[in-house]
Amino acid sequence: MRRPPSNGEAASEGPGGWGLWGVQESRRLCCAGHHRCEQALLQIGINMMALPGGRHLDSITLPGQRLHLMQVDSVQRWMEDLKLMTECECMCVLQAKPISLEEDAQGDLILAGGPGPGDPLQLLLKRGWVISTELRRIGQKLAQDRWARVHSMSVRLTCHARSMVSEYSAVSRNSSKEMGQIEKLLMEKCSELSAVTERCLQVENEHVLKSMKACVSETLSMLGQHFGQLLELALTREVQALVRKIDASDNIYTTESTTGNLFSLTQEGAPLCRIIAKEGGVVALFKICRQDTFRCLYPQALRTLASICCVEEGVHQLEKVDGVLCLADILTDDSHSEATRAEAAAVVAQVTSPHLPVTQHLSSFMESMEEIVTALIKLCQEASSGEVFLLASAALANITFFDTMACEMLLQLNAIRVLLEACSDKQRVDTPYTRDQIVTILANMSVLEQCASDIIQENGVQLIMGMLSEKPRSGTPAEVAACERVQQKAAVTLARLSRDPDVAREAVRLSCMSRLIELCRSPSERNSSDAVLVACLAALRRLAGVCPEGLQDSDFQQLVQPRLVDSFLLCSNMEESFV
């Protein structure tokens, strides 16, 4: 199931920019001029394929460096990966000892069974992934002074680069003059790298070798820059061709195939999403969503739009083409399928994400907000599956951060009743990711005074109490993090609602104080989360102010009476007793 952006989480991509392909990790080279090589490694395609599977709405992030080449089943994708990387391993059967003198020798990257004829995009993605991986590994070996490996990998890198240039020239149209110049510079630097690393093999003087290492670093830096520039130009050219094809096509099958190719590209990461947005991809996709003849393609086009809008450039383009108005029309039109409206909700969730500062300037959204909020509540109420409910509730959760007026609208639309009723429906709400969205909405709505009476009326305090006991089922990092957010936001909601004495007394009656104390004193109950600890201490103090008789003296003296920071330090350093 797809997961929406977790509210308040930082985006995985770092600020600023290191050229086209982003950053995965910085590896410092211990030599003169090491910073230049390190900078180059940051500028090349190390993170080109870094976005996890699914859509960009998956912000409970699962970092990975997986290559998504096409939408195929898992076995076929595994077979494709085997062609790209093989582990060259020689073992002695009797003693199981490696024959290789390189005890840490890694598998060589091999590109076998190249892409089919006329398929330049796959060629670029495959070769680009292999070359960027080789560059990263050369940098690692250079930092370890493994000159034999550095030279052999440099020779292999030159072969891959030459193959990419020649194969792309064979399958693509006439190259531009700029591309030809960069290709020439890239191959010159590859040859230079091979030559200088070969000379380093013959040098034994440490001082001379150190100065030559700086030269290798400089060459590797320039090679990475040329590679990034060439790949950006080539991919931009292919994206332009796809967008032109969508614009010119009136055939539903051609448009479906081309849109699918564009969606696959969005899964390769934010850099490609920026290229697609810059080259008119958002405009072309909204053109599809405004033509009745392409109604069956709306879900696919909207899913692609949601992916592109994970970057600011995509949101800017959406604003320029009145995309919010188009989304509002789709959401409020009951003649559209549930799948179409769910995908429109996903786009709304993406463009209102708190991670994107540009969303605060979506003036067109304010004009359609009431219609969108009403349609999303209806979608939550009528959702036939957990995924539809998740996308609609994620959009609502982000909108409550977007503008405080949304909370008042939700209150008038009986959103609390709709959300709390859904919590008892396992078909709609069955994961901590969905409960994270619900409790986010409740937490933001709880700043309104009239919210408390609705919570009591709908038995919401008991639901919040249950969320304080949220536990992961699979134990994956993403699910554990989601459970922490649910616990934290449940405690925040309880603290805000407890301004009302009726809510506070109901919470005490349901033993909420006991659960809060347990979360404070037992790190394992909150997965050692400091954020959950602070929220629970605040909620406990608010309840103690209304009903102090619910606390034992020791709890009062340690968790309520001291300053909040002192209680925090006490609980965060507390060791559990196993007696």
Side-chain angles (χ1 to χ4, degrees):
M1 177 179 290
R2 290 167 294 174
R3 286 176 275 105
S6 56
N7 311 102
E9 278 193 313
S12 59
E13 186 180 3
W18 288 99
L20 175 65
W21 302 118
V23 178
Q24 182 182 6
E25 60 179 343
S26 167
R27 300 190 182 272
R28 183 168 296 278
L29 305 183
C30 304
C31 64
H34 64 270
H35 61 286
R36 294 182 179 175
C37 183
E38 179 180 293
Q39 208 169 45
L41 292 176
L42 293 171
Q43 288 175 326
I44 58 181
I46 294 172
N47 199 31
M48 182 174 66
M49 316 299 171
L51 192 74
R55 60 172 70 248
H56 287 271
L57 292 173
D58 299 345
S59 68
I60 303 171
T61 179
L62 306 172
Q65 296 295 318
R66 180 157 183 79
L67 175 64
H68 302 281
L69 298 173
M70 57 181 73
Q71 292 176 281
V72 294
D73 62 78
S74 56
V75 175
Q76 188 174 345
R77 181 168 292 164
W78 175 67
M79 295 292 288
E80 287 292 326
D81 286 350
L82 284 182
K83 295 178 182 179
L84 298 177
M85 178 180 286
T86 59
E87 189 71 22
C88 298
E89 183 181 44
C90 296
M91 301 292 289
C92 294
V93 177
L94 294 179
Q95 297 182 346
K97 293 181 179 178
I99 294 175
S100 172
L101 298 176
E102 291 266 1
E103 66 278 0
D104 63 341
Q106 299 182 33
D108 294 339
L109 292 171
I110 299 175
L111 191 66
D119 196 358
L121 268 175
Q122 272 200 51
L123 167 69
L124 289 171
L125 294 176
K126 287 184 177 183
R127 288 291 184 190
W129 178 73
V130 169
I131 292 173
S132 61
T133 303
E134 288 285 8
L135 282 164
R136 175 174 56 83
R137 289 169 56 181
I138 290 173
Q140 293 171 352
K141 295 303 178 186
L142 183 61
Q144 300 167 5
D145 293 333
R146 303 292 295 277
W147 291 106
R149 292 289 291 167
V150 168
H151 176 61
S152 63
M153 294 168 73
S154 298
V155 172
R156 189 165 61 242
L157 175 66
T158 302
C159 296
H160 284 309
R162 185 178 294 111
S163 296
M164 185 182 82
V165 170
S166 61
E167 290 173 7
Y168 182 68
S169 298
V171 299
S172 67
R173 294 156 292 280
N174 294 330
S175 297
S176 66
K177 183 178 180 181
E178 185 182 7
M179 282 188 66
Q181 292 174 344
I182 297 177
E183 287 173 0
K184 182 180 179 181
L185 290 172
L186 175 64
M187 296 316 303
E188 286 176 356
K189 286 298 174 183
C190 284
S191 300
E192 184 179 332
L193 181 66
S194 298
V196 72
T197 53
E198 184 177 14
R199 289 199 302 272
C200 289
L201 291 175
Q202 314 301 324
V203 176
E204 296 182 359
N205 187 293
E206 290 294 332
H207 294 291
V208 175
L209 199 57
K210 187 174 181 180
S211 63
M212 294 186 72
K213 187 174 182 179
C215 180
V216 174
S217 298
E218 178 69 24
T219 304
L220 192 60
S221 172
M222 294 304 299
L223 194 157
Q225 291 177 26
H226 295 322
F227 168 66
Q229 291 169 359
L230 179 62
L231 201 54
E232 180 179 13
L233 284 173
L235 287 171
T236 298
R237 186 176 176 182
E238 297 306 318
V239 168
Q240 288 172 342
L242 285 177
V243 172
R244 284 196 300 268
K245 195 172 181 180
I246 292 176
D247 277 332
S249 174
D250 56 1
N251 181 287
I252 193 169
Y253 302 108
T254 302
T255 305
E256 180 181 17
S257 173
T258 310
T259 305
N261 290 338
L262 206 59
F263 174 74
S264 297
L265 282 181
T266 65
Q267 304 309 291
E268 304 301 340
L272 267 169
C273 290
R274 291 191 183 94
I275 293 175
I276 294 171
K278 179 182 174 183
E279 299 304 326
V282 174
V283 178
L285 291 167
F286 269 113
K287 182 180 176 182
I288 293 174
C289 293
R290 288 186 167 107
Q291 298 183 57
D292 285 340
T293 53
F294 290 142
R295 271 200 167 215
C296 61
L297 301 184
Y298 283 11
Q300 185 183 48
L302 290 166
R303 189 178 304 121
T304 308
L305 280 167
S307 297
I308 299 172
C309 288
C310 76
V311 296
E312 291 186 23
E313 293 83 353
V315 180
H316 280 305
Q317 291 298 316
L318 179 142
E319 176 82 352
K320 287 182 180 178
V321 298
D322 291 329
V324 172
L325 184 60
C326 180
L327 294 173
D329 290 341
I330 292 173
L331 283 168
T332 55
D333 187 349
D334 290 337
S335 67
H336 287 297
S337 65
E338 183 185 68
T340 298
R341 286 179 287 138
E343 295 297 346
V347 182
V348 172
Q350 188 65 72
V351 301
T352 55
S353 170
H355 313 321
L356 296 175
V358 69
T359 59
Q360 298 302 319
H361 305 290
L362 275 175
S363 56
S364 60
F365 188 84
M366 299 300 296
E367 300 170 6
S368 306
M369 186 168 68
E370 186 172 0
E371 295 177 1
I372 291 175
V373 169
T374 304
L376 289 172
I377 282 292
K378 184 179 180 182
L379 189 58
C380 285
Q381 196 168 15
E382 300 174 352
S384 63
S385 68
E387 183 172 7
V388 173
F389 186 91
L390 175 61
L391 294 173
S393 60
L396 285 172
N398 284 349
I399 291 172
T400 59
F401 284 107
F402 186 80
D403 192 88
T404 53
M405 285 176 53
C407 295
E408 297 176 1
M409 292 180 187
L410 288 171
L411 201 61
Q412 295 171 2
L413 293 168
N414 295 320
I416 291 177
R417 178 179 57 79
V418 173
L419 295 173
L420 296 183
E421 284 180 356
C423 287
S424 59
D425 182 359
K426 297 299 182 185
Q427 186 175 357
R428 289 185 288 169
V429 181
D430 60 345
T431 69
Y433 310 113
T434 309
R435 282 185 283 273
D436 181 20
Q437 308 309 318
I438 293 174
V439 74
T440 298
I441 299 170
L442 294 178
N444 288 339
M445 290 182 67
S446 62
V447 299
L448 304 175
E449 291 184 5
Q450 54 268 46
C451 177
S453 59
D454 287 6
I455 290 284
I456 292 178
Q457 185 177 347
E458 299 296 335
N459 201 24
V461 178
Q462 185 170 357
L463 174 72
I464 295 169
M465 171 70 177
M467 289 181 174
L468 289 172
S469 301
E470 188 75 30
K471 295 286 185 183
R473 284 180 291 183
S474 66
T476 61
E479 189 170 355
V480 170
C483 291
E484 290 177 18
R485 291 193 300 274
V486 171
Q487 288 182 329
Q488 178 196 3
K489 293 171 186 176
V492 169
T493 306
L494 191 59
R496 290 176 177 175
L497 292 173
S498 294
R499 293 176 313 219
D500 187 310
D502 293 336
V503 174
R505 282 190 287 270
E506 177 69 7
V508 172
R509 186 185 71 80
L510 293 171
S511 303
C512 281
M513 292 180 79
S514 300
R515 177 57 183 162
L516 290 170
I517 291 169
E518 185 179 19
L519 285 167
C520 291
R521 293 192 175 278
S522 176
S524 63
E525 288 295 313
R526 61 176 191 273
N527 195 41
S528 301
S529 169
D530 290 342
V532 175
L533 173 57
V534 171
C536 289
L537 284 170
L540 183 62
R541 288 163 180 249
R542 180 63 63 86
L543 289 175
V546 179
C547 303
E549 62 276 7
L551 283 174
Q552 296 181 4
D553 289 342
S554 60
D555 294 327
F556 181 80
Q557 291 171 6
Q558 294 179 354
L559 304 179
V560 177
Q561 192 176 42
R563 294 182 306 161
L564 181 63
V565 65
D566 293 332
S567 296
F568 170 80
L569 292 173
L570 173 69
C571 294
S572 59
N573 294 325
M574 191 173 289
E575 294 185 3
E576 293 184 74
S577 172
F578 297 94
V579 177

